[in-house]
Amino acid sequence: MFTIELNQRQEKILQIVKNNGPITGEKIAERLNLTRATLRPDLAILTMAGYLDARPRVGYFYTGKSSTQLLSASIRKFQVKDFQSIPSVINEDVSAYDAICAMFLEDVGTLFVINKKNQLVGVCSRKDLLRASMGGQDIHAVPVHVIMSRMPNLSVVTPDDLLVYAANLLIEKQIDSLPVVKKKGSSYEVTGRITKTTITRAFVALIEDE
Ligand code: ADP
């Protein structure tokens, strides 16, 4: 649980614990002229969000963590596997025209290209297809493997990578998506994808406390 905005009473509790901690729930309630029961949800929120620490028989401590520190701690818990979506893949031998059709049908901006052995061999984006069309190539004849970005120059992530690592790669490499891969010997099998939309979804999840 992560609350970004604390209500007035929670702010007051935080202040009391900051100045007087360790302090018991009862003592905090006394200072606020409230019952312990009224305070319980607030104390639970402050503890779960990491602002306060509770020790049995001692009371509440202020953890000293700023909301920015708590926010970055929450973001660091996000892993690729928690947010990845289903990848759209095509075979390397299909035509650029078929790749365009696949993009429309599957409503994606990037296709991951595999060979007959199911190994990741390339990435084909909208720009790759536009470039092929502009160059006057016959898009019905030219196979995707001719126009795609290929191994070993692909940026990939694994399910256990942090989502911030993936976000950084998207920015650094100026790309829209990343294949999530499982290593199989010296090659990769595609198991998912991370896109700019994934990162937007994670951003919203932070606020919606998912
Ligand atoms: P768009 O073509 O819609 O702008 P991108 O910005 O993702 O999409 O693609 C820009 C270029 O980067 C394309 O040539 C594409 O093949 C390449 N590219 C896309 N994703 C990757 C990736 N994960 N690894 C390496 N190259 C990529």
Side-chain angles (χ1 to χ4, degrees), residues 71 74-75 77-80 82-84 163-164 167 194-210:
L71 182 61
S74 300
I75 295 171
K77 282 191 203 124
F78 288 169
Q79 282 181 297
V80 162
D82 305 323
F83 287 89
Q84 71 186 58
L163 197 63
V164 272
I194 293 288
T195 67
K196 287 178 175 175
T197 309
T198 317
I199 309 300
T200 312
R201 204 179 311 120
F203 179 77
V204 172
L206 262 187
I207 309 295
E208 289 188 343
D209 194 20
E210 276 172 11

Side-chain angles (χ1 to χ4, degrees), residues 109-110 112 123-128 131 147-149 153-156 173-179 196:
T110 309
F112 302 138
V123 170
C124 180
S125 79
R126 285 176 281 219
K127 232 173 278 156
D128 297 329
R131 200 182 299 115
I147 62 167
M148 67 186 188
S149 298
N153 302 322
L154 301 185
S155 302
V156 299
K173 307 281 180 185
Q174 297 187 321
I175 50 180
D176 292 349
S177 77
L178 293 160
K196 287 178 175 175

